[in-house]
Amino acid sequence: MPAVSATRHTLRRAATVTALTAASVLVAAGVASAHVTVHPESYAKGATDGVLTFRVPNEEDTASTTKVQVYLPTDHPVLGVLVTPQDGWTAKVTTTKLKTPVKTDDGTITEAVSEVTWTGGKIGAGQYQDFDVAFGQLPEDTDQLTFKTLQTYSDGKVVRWIEEAQSGDDEPENPAPTLKLTAAGDEDTASAAPAAKSSAKATTAAADSSDSTARGLGIAGLIVGALGLAAAAFAVVRTRGARS
């Protein structure tokens, strides 16, 4: 094989390997991030008049998500829950009597929402849906809230997002959406604001997360590309050395 043809063949092969490696990086990153999550990731303890957004991605290629059940904790209840209307979806709100009533400035609360179920809609392959839940007040006596979630597909499969991460352990396979509650005044605390403002902050948080992911993938792509070019250059030098 002529030297020029051999060099071109080597470069084409290196480019192909680089492209396949980069694609694998992107696919792996996409799979790793395809969990049901809650946004923003944190709020101040006792925050009032805010919005929580539950993002539900569809992980199946041959089935659609047709039902989403989010369970709210009742040991540390979220008070004054209201569900935002969602086109194509019907929300059912279930309340539960609290074992320990909560005293507020407006009186004693004896019941709270324990489950919100959305049905009637469809999340197709490669798509996601945001479900907004407004709240009147978050608890003050805990550092985080876990929202166990069940995701049902059109083929009958049910994914249970109910696993809680333990300190120092790797993220579980099906982690439950978790909201961190921080002390009022912390720099990373989402401020208590009217619902509209909180919704905007939730959108901003999601956008920042997507932007960070994009930057990470971009860096990974550059590294993979550099490795591919280095491999190609080495192959060319080796080919010329063999001719000599």
Side-chain angles (χ1 to χ4, degrees):
M1 180 183 296
V4 174
S5 297
T7 300
R8 288 178 178 174
H9 176 71
T10 300
L11 289 174
R12 283 198 301 270
R13 183 172 59 185
T16 300
V17 172
T18 300
L20 291 175
T21 304
S24 299
V25 170
L26 293 176
V27 170
V31 171
S33 62
H35 299 328
V36 175
T37 52
V38 60
H39 302 274
E41 296 180 352
S42 67
Y43 255 111
K45 293 181 178 180
T48 58
D49 300 327
V51 173
L52 298 175
T53 299
F54 295 92
R55 176 159 296 178
V56 182
N58 189 90
E59 293 186 308
E60 297 293 320
D61 294 330
T62 58
S64 300
T65 296
T66 56
K67 183 179 181 180
V68 176
Q69 298 164 266
V70 175
Y71 294 87
L72 285 68
T74 55
D75 53 346
H76 302 288
V78 178
L79 304 180
V81 169
L82 295 173
V83 179
T84 302
Q86 198 77 39
D87 289 343
W89 294 86
T90 299
K92 177 184 178 182
V93 178
T94 301
T95 59
T96 298
K97 187 173 182 178
L98 300 175
K99 293 182 179 180
T100 304
V102 179
K103 294 182 178 180
T104 70
D105 294 338
D106 298 323
T108 300
I109 306 298
T110 59
E111 292 187 344
V113 173
S114 58
E115 178 186 347
V116 181
T117 300
W118 287 272
T119 57
K122 183 176 68 173
I123 307 173
Q127 300 178 342
Y128 71 89
Q129 181 73 56
D130 284 343
F131 298 93
D132 292 338
V133 174
F135 62 83
Q137 184 175 343
L138 296 178
E140 299 177 343
D141 57 351
T142 185
D143 293 329
Q144 68 178 31
L145 294 175
T146 300
F147 301 94
K148 295 183 179 182
T149 302
L150 301 185
Q151 181 179 12
T152 302
Y153 286 91
S154 55
D155 60 2
K157 179 180 178 180
V158 178
V159 180
R160 301 168 61 84
W161 302 99
I162 61 174
E163 299 176 7
E164 299 184 41
Q166 301 299 322
S167 179
D169 293 344
D170 294 335
E171 183 181 64
E173 183 178 356
N174 295 314
T178 301
L179 177 71
K180 296 180 180 179
L181 297 181
T182 60
D186 285 358
E187 293 182 356
D188 295 331
T189 297
S191 61
K197 184 176 180 180
S198 298
S199 180
K201 286 198 172 186
T203 301
T204 300
D208 290 344
S209 176
S210 298
D211 184 56
S212 297
T213 301
R215 285 197 298 268
L217 292 176
I219 293 173
L222 290 175
I223 293 174
V224 171
L227 292 175
L229 290 176
F234 177 77
V236 171
V237 171
R238 187 174 62 181
T239 301
R240 291 179 177 177
R243 287 187 67 242
S244 301

